[in-house]
């Protein structure tokens, strides 16, 4: 599968709320994920646990949209993708939250090996 198809399939999974399924499908076993300048979380299992903690704080999911996508493919299923997106939810404390962020992903052989999220922590 080419990188464009993989990235848009990942976006579709997230848009449907299938976040953990997407991680199991599109992330390499040794993938690292990083929030802004925080320390990266290493390995798929650790990242799934981190994501479960995040999802456990969500009471109602209101939406997700990828507003801009840029992809550079260097070989089939390998390259870099940047996804500008927003997600909105109500947390378990009843606060409605909207995140606007950019995710930069390094893909190798059809799997994400590194992902970093950039967003404003002051909002």
């Amino acid at each position: 599968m080419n990188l464009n198809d993989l990235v848009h399939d990942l976006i579709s999974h997230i848009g449907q709320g299938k976040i953990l399924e997407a991680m199991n499908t599109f992330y390499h076993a040794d993938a690292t994920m990083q929030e802004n300048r925080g320390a990266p979380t290493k390995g798929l299992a650790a990242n799934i646990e981190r994501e479960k903690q995040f999802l456990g704080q969500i009471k109602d999911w209101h939406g997700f949209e990828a507003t801009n996508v840029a992809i550079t493919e260097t070989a089939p299923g390998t390259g870099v993708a940047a996804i500008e997106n927003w997600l909105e939810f109500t947390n378990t404390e009843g606060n409605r939250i909207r995140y606007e962020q950019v995710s930069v992903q390094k893909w190798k052989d059809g799997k994400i090996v590194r992902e970093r999220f950039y967003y404003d922590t002051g909002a």
Side-chain angles (χ1 to χ4, degrees):
M1 205 177 224
N2 70 47
L3 190 54
N4 185 66
D5 291 343
L6 288 164
V7 170
H8 284 90
D9 199 12
L10 169 68
I11 291 168
S12 176
H13 274 72
I14 295 169
Q16 295 172 49
K18 298 178 182 177
I19 295 169
L20 296 177
E21 180 182 317
M23 292 181 76
N24 281 304
T25 302
F26 299 103
Y27 288 74
H28 189 276
D30 296 324
T32 62
M33 295 175 78
Q34 183 176 359
E35 303 282 333
N36 282 326
R37 286 194 257 173
T41 302
K42 299 178 181 179
L44 180 58
N47 279 295
I48 286 175
E49 279 307 308
R50 184 186 52 78
E51 198 66 25
K52 284 180 181 178
Q53 290 175 9
F54 169 71
L55 294 172
Q57 299 173 24
I58 296 175
K59 180 181 174 190
D60 294 308
W61 182 261
H62 302 298
F64 166 87
E65 181 181 9
T67 52
N68 289 293
V69 179
I71 299 168
T72 300
E73 186 168 39
T74 56
T78 299
V80 176
I83 305 167
E84 181 181 20
N85 63 80
W86 61 263
L87 57 121
E88 193 166 333
F89 60 90
T90 299
N91 67 15
T92 54
E93 297 174 357
N95 301 311
R96 191 164 179 141
I97 298 171
R98 179 181 174 105
Y99 282 125
E100 295 180 10
Q101 63 186 5
V102 174
S103 164
V104 178
Q105 306 163 338
K106 181 178 180 183
W107 290 73
K108 184 176 180 186
D109 300 326
K111 299 284 185 178
I112 298 169
V113 294
R114 185 175 69 227
E115 181 171 40
R116 186 168 178 185
F117 297 92
Y118 298 89
Y119 51 88
D120 182 1
T121 58

